[in-house]
C-alpha cells in the first residue's frame, strides 16, 4: 500500500530579498509538511516571514533555496487580509471568478458560486458591489471564492485580521463550519493565538526573523469545535503555553526593530 502523498512538502526553504535597502533573510531553512485535509495555523511575530512562507508554498514567490512539492495539481486558492475581492465585480461575479479561471462553464460557475454565497450567508447580496459591503461581508466573499474554486488547498494570510473583534468571532465560526463540511487542506497565518487553537489541527510557531520554525504544537481538541472551547481550562492552558514561548520571539523581534 502506498502512503498518501503530503498535501504540502516543503524542504529547507530559504528566502532572501535583495533590495536597495539591503539584504533581508526572510526565511532560513524552513521545512513543513502538511497532510491532506489538515488545518495548519502559522503564528509568529511581525515581520518573521509568515506571508513570505505562505507565498512560497503557493508559488507566488520562488524560494532562494529549497523545494516545495504540492500533491494537488490545482492552483492553490489564496485569501488575503484585505483587497482580495475585485471592486468592479459583484459578489456573485467575484465568487464565480475563481471557477472561470479554472475553465468551468458559465452555468455551472453560477450554480456553484450561489451555493457558496448561500453558505457564507450572503444570498441577499449577490448583486452588491464590494464598496457597498461591510469588511466582514467582503471577507465572506473572499472566503466563498476560495472554497468555490474547488481547489483542495487553501492558503489564508490573516484573512480575519482586519475585522473588528465580534465580526472576527463570527467569521471564525464560519471558517470552522466550512472546513468541517469540506475538509480541505488549509494553511492559515494569524497573529491570534486563540484563533490558531480554535481553528487548527496543528499550530506552527515561527521565530523572529530570519524566520525558522520554532515549535509545532498539535491541537488535541475534538471536532466539531465551537466557540465554547475558548471557555475551557484546557484551552486557557494551551493559550498560555503558546504565549509563553511566543513572547520571547515577539520581544526578539521588537528589539531587532522589526
Ligand atoms: N518583496 C520584498 N522585498 C524586500 N523585503 C521583503 C519583501 N517581502 C517581505 N520582505 C521582508 O521580509 C521579511 C518578512 O516579511 P513577511 O511579510 O513575510 O513577514 P510577516 O511575518 O508576514 O509579517 P507581518 O506579521 O507583519 O505580516 C520582512 O523583513 C519584510 O520586510
Ligand atoms: Mg504578513
Amino acid at each position: 500500500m502506498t502512503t498518501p502523498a503530503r498535501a504540502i512538502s516543503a524542504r529547507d526553504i530559504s528566502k532572501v530579498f535583495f533590495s536597495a535597502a539591503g539584504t533581508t533573510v526572510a526565511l532560513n531553512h524552513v521545512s513543513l509538511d502538511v497532510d491532506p485535509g489538515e488545518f495548519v495555523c502559522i503564528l509568529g511575530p511581525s515581520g518573521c516571514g509568515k506571508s513570505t512562507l505562505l507565498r512560497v508554498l503557493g508559488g507566488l514567490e520562488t524560494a532562494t533555496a529549497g523545494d516545495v512539492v504540492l500533491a494537488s495539481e490545482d492552483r492553490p486558492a489564496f485569501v488575503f487580509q484585505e483587497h482580495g475581492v475585485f471592486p468592479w465585480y459583484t459578489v456573485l461575479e467575484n465568487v464565480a471568478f475563481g471557477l472561470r479561471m479554472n475553465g468551468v462553464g458559465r452555468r455551472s460557475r453560477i450554480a456553484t458560486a450561489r451555493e457558496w454565497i448561500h453558505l457564507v450567508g450572503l444570498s441577499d447580496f449577490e448583486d452588491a458591489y464590494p464598496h457597498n459591503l461591510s469588511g466582514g461581508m467582503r471577507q465572506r466573499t473572499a472566503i466563498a471564492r476560495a472554497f468555490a474554486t474547488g481547489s483542495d488547498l487553501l492558503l489564508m494570510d490573516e484573512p480575519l485580521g482586519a475585522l473588528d473583534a465580534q465580526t472576527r468571532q463570527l467569521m471564525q465560526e464560519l471558517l470552522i463550519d466550512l472546513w468541517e463540511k469540506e475538509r480541505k487542506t488549509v494553511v492559515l497565518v494569524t497573529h491570534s493565538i486563540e484563533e490558531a487553537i480554535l481553528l487548527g489541527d496543528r499550530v506552527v510557531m515561527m521565530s523572529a526573523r530570519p524566520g525558522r520554525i520554532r515549535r509545532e504544537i498539535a491541537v488535541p481538541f475534538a471536532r466539531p469545535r465551537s466557540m465554547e472551547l475558548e471557555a475551557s481550562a484546557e484551552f486557557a492552558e494551551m493559550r498560555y503555553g503558546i504565549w509563553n514561548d511566543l513572547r520571547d520571539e515577539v520581544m526578539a523581534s521588537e528589539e531587532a526593530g522589526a
Side-chain angles (χ1 to χ4, degrees):
M1 214 174 86
T2 54
T3 38
R6 302 265 195 223
I8 301 175
S9 178
R11 285 273 91 61
D12 251 339
I13 302 296
S14 295
K15 177 71 184 177
V16 184
F17 290 108
F18 302 97
S19 69
T23 301
T24 307
V25 181
L27 298 172
N28 193 12
H29 297 290
V30 171
S31 294
L32 180 68
D33 286 328
V34 181
D35 286 329
E38 194 181 13
F39 199 131
V40 170
C41 293
I42 298 183
L43 274 176
S46 266
C48 76
K50 302 179 295 298
S51 296
T52 303
L53 177 59
L54 205 69
R55 294 168 64 82
V56 168
L57 295 179
L60 294 184
E61 197 102 64
T62 47
T64 310
D67 292 307
V68 177
V69 179
L70 304 182
S72 169
E73 308 257 294
D74 300 342
R75 187 199 317 260
F78 277 89
V79 181
F80 298 103
Q81 182 170 0
E82 281 179 301
H83 311 302
V85 292
F86 299 116
W88 54 84
Y89 283 160
T90 64
V91 167
L92 183 61
E93 289 163 348
N94 262 292
V95 176
F97 176 82
L99 292 145
R100 193 167 97 195
M101 295 297 287
N102 290 344
V104 178
R106 184 181 154 78
R107 201 183 277 264
S108 162
R109 258 185 349 244
I110 297 211
T112 306
R114 287 215 161 104
E115 269 172 49
W116 283 101
I117 289 170
H118 173 71
L119 286 169
V120 301
L122 285 181
S123 291
D124 291 343
F125 298 89
E126 256 179 41
D127 298 321
Y129 285 89
H131 66 266
N132 289 324
L133 302 175
S134 66
M137 289 156 92
R138 281 198 290 273
Q139 285 313 82
R140 283 173 197 266
T141 306
I143 288 167
R145 181 172 67 198
F147 275 90
T149 59
S151 173
D152 43 25
L153 176 57
L154 307 187
L155 301 175
M156 306 197 189
D157 194 353
E158 301 190 55
L160 313 184
L163 304 175
D164 66 80
Q166 286 86 34
T167 306
R168 185 170 187 152
Q169 294 229 328
L170 287 177
M171 297 288 287
Q172 288 169 350
E173 290 175 328
L174 175 70
L175 269 182
I176 291 175
D177 288 349
L178 295 180
W179 183 84
E180 300 284 354
K181 240 179 89 51
E182 292 275 315
R183 297 278 171 143
K184 292 180 187 274
T185 309
V186 181
V187 181
L188 178 144
V189 169
T190 178
H191 274 110
S192 161
I193 298 176
E194 290 83 356
E195 189 165 289
I197 304 177
L198 198 60
L199 298 176
D201 295 314
R202 180 156 51 111
V203 177
V204 172
M205 189 195 299
M206 290 179 65
S207 67
R209 202 177 70 231
R212 281 166 290 110
I213 291 179
R214 173 172 168 137
R215 195 178 150 205
E216 299 197 25
I217 305 116
V219 183
F221 304 120
R223 296 188 185 265
R225 294 183 190 158
S226 73
M227 301 303 282
E228 278 168 42
L229 182 58
E230 282 203 65
S232 71
E234 292 81 3
F235 188 95
E237 195 176 324
M238 184 161 219
R239 178 177 51 200
Y240 178 73
I242 292 177
W243 168 239
N244 225 1
D245 251 18
L246 188 59
R247 74 195 301 272
D248 294 346
E249 299 300 337
V250 173
M251 280 166 70
S253 171
E254 292 282 311
E255 279 158 22

